[in-house]
Amino acid sequence: MTEIETMSFEEAMKELEATVGKLEHGDATLEDSIKLYERGAKLRAHCEKRLREAEERVEKITLAANGQPDGTVPVEGL
């Protein structure tokens, strides 16, 4: 299994969706279900962290009086 910390957001989401599908299908043993749930919780937390990091990098483009882009400012509230 890939280490969660090294996964991209997309990789983690894909595995999280597959994990949820396995849990919903109900074929896993109780012990396997617990392990799947634990990994799913870690994947969810990783996805949330990656989203927060992305939000912090989002910037708003500012325009000059002539309508041309003249710079960026951080998004307020992040």
Side-chain angles (χ1 to χ4, degrees):
M1 266 188 228
T2 305
E3 289 296 319
I4 293 172
E5 295 79 26
T6 63
M7 291 179 154
S8 68
F9 173 80
E10 293 79 10
E11 291 169 331
M13 271 306 283
K14 186 175 180 179
E15 185 176 333
L16 180 56
E17 289 170 353
T19 299
V20 169
K22 289 176 188 174
L23 287 168
E24 288 178 343
H25 198 264
D27 286 341
T29 65
L30 177 59
E31 187 62 30
D32 288 341
S33 294
I34 292 170
K35 289 177 184 176
L36 285 168
Y37 183 84
E38 289 171 341
R39 183 152 174 94
K42 290 176 184 175
L43 287 163
R44 181 189 59 79
H46 179 70
C47 288
E48 288 175 352
K49 179 184 174 202
R50 290 286 187 161
L51 282 175
R52 272 193 314 275
E53 290 169 352
E55 287 174 349
E56 290 169 0
R57 292 177 26 206
V58 171
E59 295 180 320
K60 181 175 72 174
I61 297 173
T62 60
L63 301 177
N66 66 0
Q68 296 298 313
D70 70 348
T72 60
V73 294
V75 173
E76 294 180 27
L78 294 178

